[in-house]
Amino acid sequence: MGFALLGSLGSFVSVRDSHHWNVRFQSFTLKERFVVGFNLAKNFRAYKKFGRVSLCKSEFVDFEERTSPNEVRKEIEQCYELIHRLGRGVVYLGSSRMGPGHPHYSQTLELAREIANLLDCTTWTGAGPGLMDAAIKGAQEAGKAVGGFKIGKEAGEWTTSKFHPYLPSETYLTCRFFSARKHGLVDAAVRSSSSDKTAVVALPGGVGTLDEMFEILALIQLERIGSELPVPFIVMNYDSFYAKLLDFLDDCEDWGTVSKGEVSSLWKICNTNSDALVYLAEFYDLPFSDEQKHGTEARSAHKQVP
């Protein structure tokens, strides 16, 4: 992770065939000051070949082509390979901080199990703790495939780990880059044929969840998600968790920054697991009886009792 810097141009010296600048930097986070000197040849070709940065410790760093674009592309390809192997399915976005003692954890576990049975598809998550873990365990209870795109450290965690505590290594990828992880989470929900039964399910969460939610929402809005067929997008509004966010979006309509009814047409707000299951059953024209609906409601209500 980088840190913010404030730079100012200091002294400038021209010596024979090269120019030298001293730039002073102030770190906002580390509260340190340091100087970076740039030695640039007048001949641009020579600069590309020999140009270098001198640090205050008299260390030199050669200017070379950045490798990160190639590394990101390679990681995205690895995400696609994993999806191709495990199959597309339902992508769950949610908090890493709501653990087994939280009522939303048990609700998520129940939801993921029922959806996995209903759609008979792979369950995809960020392979982290909290509600992501609940979705994984729900799918496992249903005996369905699970895949994940892990990141080294989730919000609220103190340690970094490349390994999931119990998932087989061939079922998840630990991503270095958030951009690659997002590509994976989006592509896992793409529908290329009518036989693909996928969805995006946004569970309660914080900054990371909201980031993923609205990025996918924007892709759907602009028809840039890469899916040939519509992808159902469900927001689980457990205990009115997203009520104020939805009020804000209504205010955006009043301000004219969002068209009337635009956002509500892109996703489905569900307050209970049975609401989500009924919606998916209708979306994919699958049987879901009243008995199944009442059973889901009863199990959810039982798990919410302290």
Side-chain angles (χ1 to χ4, degrees), residues 3 5 23-27 32-36 55-56:
F3 53 92
L5 298 173
V23 184
R24 300 182 181 276
F25 288 98
Q26 170 72 51
S27 165
E32 296 177 351
R33 294 184 180 182
F34 53 95
V35 176
V36 177
L55 305 180
C56 57

Side-chain angles (χ1 to χ4, degrees), residues 51-93:
R52 56 189 181 181
V53 177
S54 62
L55 305 180
C56 57
K57 294 181 179 180
S58 299
E59 297 174 347
F60 292 94
V61 180
D62 291 331
F63 279 116
E64 297 178 354
E65 181 182 358
R66 292 185 61 185
T67 60
S68 57
N70 293 329
E71 292 171 358
V72 171
R73 182 169 62 249
K74 181 180 179 180
E75 197 165 274
I76 291 173
E77 290 173 355
Q78 291 174 331
C79 290
Y80 291 165
E81 289 170 3
L82 183 64
I83 294 167
H84 179 73
R85 183 155 45 83
L86 298 179
R88 293 186 169 108
V90 178
V91 175
Y92 291 87
L93 316 172

